[in-house]
Amino acid sequence: MKTILVTGGTGFLGSNLCIRLIKNGEKVICVDNNYTGRMRNVESIINHPNFTFIEHDICEPLETEEEINQIYNMACPASPPAYQGSYSIKTTKTCVIGAINMLELAKKHKARILQTSTSEIYGEPLVHPQVESYRGNVNPIGIRACYDEGKRCAESLFFDYYRHEGVDIKVIRIFNTYGPNMDPNDGRVVSNFICQALSGQDITIYGQGNQTRSFCYVDDLTEVMIRMMNSPAGFTGPVNTGNPEEFTIKELAEMVVAKVGGKSKIVYKDLPSDDPTQRRPDITLAKNKLGWEPCIKLSEGLDKTIAYFKTQIELYKGEK
Ligand code: UDP
């Protein structure tokens, strides 16, 4: 049994990972300040003897008595409305200071550490699909910069700790992911569209809806994260992790409306600035090195996610 620390463990991806690791028989220490994470995401494992929750902000150094074998560094506000709003400065601090604190912890414990980087480091990509060697096209002073540049700086820190401090690092770049434990109020496109359709509200497309994204179901993502963490030493990545099937946002809206039914109509709103026009991962490296590719199609994943939100939507009425 390994002792595994997950920062951002009560968030959407972090909680799915914690649940999977507990199922796999590991010991999990979940760390979160719950700014955007939610305890209800881990309620199914909260009393498990192998699960510990520590309320902690990784911008502060972390000490643990137990010896840690692996660290998944996932803490960061990740939805555009969250990191563009009151959490923007906190987002950069979490990416940068948080990464330093977790790298120092990894160094002290001789633990392997995996950084969850992001497709956002490619910015508005001029290369399509995006390969890991593409260096990106990021606006350093735009409203997404706190996240994009924060995550870029974190990658740089990881590679410097690898080169100069001998820390055993892994880096993945996560593309759009969806599924159970998404926060209905966090403003991301899949959760917005499903919740709008379920409650009979208008479906809000930003811009013309011609921009594209490639959506990965969370179970596929959890699988590749664990594969990457346990890949041979010296294989650092970065590795793109996502589903290479690309859809326009309009196509996504139409799929959700067709699945949920009801009387929602599609309305068009202003496109936020620096919103990437297209995004699709080239996952050749993940296929070759990790033997991984997503197996859940968007249609099937949407059905599961709609079923999840049906159970949740009542809970959130009136919140936030
Ligand atoms: N989007 C939209 N309507 C919404 C929420 C988002 O049309 O209610 C668009 C958004 O402008 C972007 C895409 O959907 O082009 C994906 O947005 P999301 O916030 O989920 O993730 P991003 O890929 O931008 O980080």
Side-chain angles (χ1 to χ4, degrees):
M1 188 198 295
K2 293 188 282 298
T3 300
I4 303 176
L5 190 137
V6 179
T7 77
T10 63
F12 161 47
L13 297 181
S15 60
N16 277 283
L17 178 69
C18 287
I19 292 164
R20 177 76 174 273
L21 292 172
I22 288 288
K23 271 193 196 136
N24 289 355
E26 310 290 10
K27 196 161 186 202
V28 174
I29 302 174
C30 167
V31 174
D32 208 301
N33 61 7
N34 285 335
Y35 279 23
T36 57
R38 304 170 306 156
M39 289 311 290
R40 66 185 60 159
N41 284 343
V42 291
E43 74 193 357
S44 65
I45 50 172
I46 195 84
N47 293 319
H48 194 286
N50 291 344
F51 182 79
T52 311
F53 172 71
I54 302 175
E55 187 167 348
H56 178 85
D57 184 334
I58 63 162
C59 291
E60 302 300 326
L62 180 66
E63 300 291 340
T64 61
E65 280 173 16
E66 257 175 294
E67 196 185 306
I68 309 286
N69 306 117
Q70 297 182 338
I71 302 171
Y72 289 85
N73 188 37
M74 308 182 71
C76 192
S79 87
Y83 65 67
Q84 289 165 16
S86 51
Y87 289 138
S88 58
I89 294 165
K90 185 71 186 169
T91 296
T92 308
K93 285 183 178 169
T94 306
C95 288
V96 178
I97 302 170
I100 294 170
N101 286 331
M102 292 307 107
L103 284 158
E104 287 292 335
L105 186 70
K107 186 177 150 190
K108 193 168 154 197
H109 286 250
K110 297 189 172 32
R112 176 170 283 189
I113 181 165
L114 181 145
Q115 168 67 359
T116 52
S117 191
T118 166
S119 55
E120 282 285 327
I121 66 104
Y122 299 120
E124 166 70 330
L126 304 175
V127 166
H128 194 72
Q130 290 80 59
V131 281
E132 289 86 351
S133 55
Y134 177 50
R135 292 180 185 181
N137 177 34
V138 171
N139 173 2
I141 57 167
I143 56 173
R144 298 176 89 100
C146 58
Y147 188 71
D148 301 9
E149 299 289 17
K151 289 282 188 175
R152 288 173 70 95
C153 185
E155 285 200 17
S156 141
L157 282 163
F158 266 68
F159 278 87
D160 281 335
Y161 270 80
Y162 172 67
R163 283 186 287 255
H164 302 298
E165 303 287 342
V167 174
D168 184 4
I169 66 153
K170 305 274 171 190
V171 177
I172 59 169
R173 293 178 178 157
I174 301 176
F175 285 63
N176 295 67
T177 305
Y178 68 100
N181 289 5
M182 289 186 97
D183 182 342
N185 295 308
D186 87 356
R188 271 182 269 207
V189 69
V190 174
S191 44
N192 268 11
F193 286 180
I194 292 177
C195 292
Q196 287 163 343
L198 286 173
S199 55
Q201 295 166 25
D202 292 342
I203 308 284
T204 54
I205 288 184
Y206 302 158
Q208 297 302 305
N210 299 326
Q211 70 272 38
T212 68
R213 294 293 187 274
S214 309
F215 299 99
C216 186
Y217 188 69
V218 65
D219 290 355
D220 281 327
L221 202 270
T222 307
E223 174 66 29
V224 72
M225 285 181 67
I226 294 173
R227 283 191 194 207
M228 181 62 180
M229 176 61 102
N230 295 294
S231 64
F235 177 59
T236 56
V239 178
N240 286 339
T241 57
N243 190 317
E245 263 196 276
E246 188 178 0
F247 294 86
T248 66
I249 295 304
K250 191 156 185 269
E251 284 169 334
L252 176 73
E254 286 162 356
M255 277 177 86
V256 170
V257 171
K259 282 180 181 294
V260 176
K263 46 185 184 339
S264 297
K265 58 181 195 320
I266 291 176
V267 297
Y268 293 87
K269 304 244 173 184
D270 290 344
L271 186 69
S273 69
D274 292 337
D275 196 286
T277 311
Q278 53 182 6
R279 181 180 288 160
R280 173 157 67 96
D282 181 316
I283 59 162
T284 309
L285 189 62
K287 275 187 194 161
N288 291 345
K289 291 281 188 181
L290 305 172
W292 173 85
E293 63 184 309
C295 48
I296 298 167
K297 295 253 174 228
L298 181 59
S299 176
E300 184 191 347
L302 282 180
D303 289 340
K304 290 171 190 267
T305 310
I306 290 166
Y308 165 77
F309 277 121
K310 274 186 183 159
T311 68
Q312 297 290 302
I313 204 153
E314 287 299 318
L315 286 173
Y316 294 96
K317 278 197 176 147
E319 274 193 24
K320 287 189 195 161

